[in-house]
Amino acid sequence: RGLVRLLDHVNLIIILGLIFGSFANVVIYRLPRGESVVFPASRCPSCGHPLSAGDLIPVLGYIFLRGRCRYCGVSISPRYPLVEALMALLFLLVYLEYGLSITTLSGMVFSLVLVCSALIDHDLGIIPDALTIPALLVGLLLAAFSGSLFSALAGGLALGGLFLALAVLSNGGLGGGDIKLAAVIGVFCAWPGALTALVLISIIGGVYALYLLLAKGAHRKTVIRFGPILALGAFLAFNYGYKWAGWYLSLFNR
């Protein structure tokens, strides 16, 4: 009976992830263009024809349509089903760590914000305030419900303040969107999880910079979009940071 209940929960989480993955695709496309993410209904970006309910079924709709618009035949980017599948995976990973809890709800919201931020930054080199400011408010609200508002505020101020200082010292090497996303990460990871996020972001950023230097011939003026790096480090810190921090501290207690 317990296994059946677990499978029911897993199926529900995956379905929710797919649905919010579809919503993430809307946010990624519309938000940077100043469009509503609610109205009008989804349309083909090529021919403008409204999409039917069958067209919008996450992942399966893409497969049934064989990757082409039903109305104009133009190819549909495979990134749409990939984002939907990624969101389902992230939701599942959060649930497997935290079960049915307020932390899982926070992790799902956080995952949505991170995926949208990473891909918008990857595409356009911006992280919209219309995404980060509401995320800050929702993160603080969820922290208040879970009794960790002070830790969330401390994490947000610490990580956001650090990135602001780095932006000033680097003379614009970091954008305002990066600073606000760092504050969001600090709020969701809270204190001292924000420190773990900073360490992971630094490691991932360093590895990526080394790759650019050795494989792509990058130089000091090469533009690096930090959104995907921040997102990856932040998710790992939120979901697994407490385990890794505990393992690290245990090395000194033997």
Side-chain angles (χ1 to χ4, degrees):
R1 186 174 297 178
L3 179 60
V4 171
R5 187 180 296 113
L6 174 63
L7 290 176
D8 288 342
H9 289 166
V10 166
N11 290 335
L12 175 61
I13 294 297
I14 291 174
I15 291 171
L16 282 174
L18 291 171
I19 292 171
F20 278 94
S22 181
F23 177 67
N25 281 320
V26 175
V27 172
I28 291 163
Y29 181 82
R30 294 189 183 185
L31 201 63
R33 295 167 173 80
E35 301 175 7
S36 169
V37 299
V38 179
F39 300 106
S42 296
R43 300 171 179 269
C44 172
S46 297
C47 66
H49 195 289
L51 302 179
S52 70
D55 300 332
L56 295 172
I57 298 174
V59 179
L60 293 179
Y62 180 87
I63 295 173
F64 293 153
L65 292 172
R66 297 182 180 179
R68 292 189 176 276
C69 173
R70 182 193 304 274
Y71 311 100
C72 66
V74 170
S75 294
I76 302 169
S77 171
R79 195 171 83 172
Y80 289 106
L82 289 175
V83 168
E84 292 162 354
L86 173 62
M87 195 63 66
L89 174 62
L90 296 181
F91 274 31
L92 179 60
L93 291 176
V94 171
Y95 167 73
L96 292 176
E97 285 297 318
Y98 298 108
L100 294 177
S101 65
I102 188 68
T103 304
T104 296
L105 178 59
S106 296
M108 291 175 177
V109 173
F110 194 34
S111 298
L112 176 64
V113 172
L114 291 176
V115 169
C116 292
S117 298
L119 291 177
I120 292 173
D121 194 32
H122 174 271
D123 292 344
L124 303 171
I126 60 170
I127 302 175
D129 289 350
L131 180 60
T132 53
I133 299 303
L136 273 173
L137 298 176
V138 172
L140 290 172
L141 181 63
L142 289 169
F145 273 109
S146 65
S148 57
L149 181 58
F150 179 77
S151 295
L153 282 170
L157 290 171
L159 207 54
L162 176 61
F163 271 67
L164 176 60
L166 290 174
V168 172
L169 292 174
S170 64
N171 195 25
L174 290 171
D178 296 320
I179 297 167
K180 296 183 186 75
L181 181 57
V184 171
I185 292 168
V187 164
F188 276 91
C189 291
W191 185 267
L195 290 178
T196 305
L198 177 61
V199 171
L200 290 172
I201 289 166
S202 300
I203 293 172
I204 294 168
V207 171
Y208 182 61
L210 184 62
Y211 163 76
L212 290 179
L213 179 65
L214 298 178
K216 301 293 184 178
H219 49 79
R220 290 180 60 186
K221 294 186 178 181
T222 298
V223 176
I224 298 177
R225 294 179 176 175
F226 287 99
I229 297 170
L230 291 171
L232 177 57
F235 180 82
L236 293 175
F238 180 92
N239 222 45
Y240 306 110
Y242 72 99
K243 283 185 175 180
W244 295 341
W247 171 78
Y248 180 77
L249 292 173
S250 70
L251 296 178
F252 298 93
N253 294 329
R254 292 178 177 176

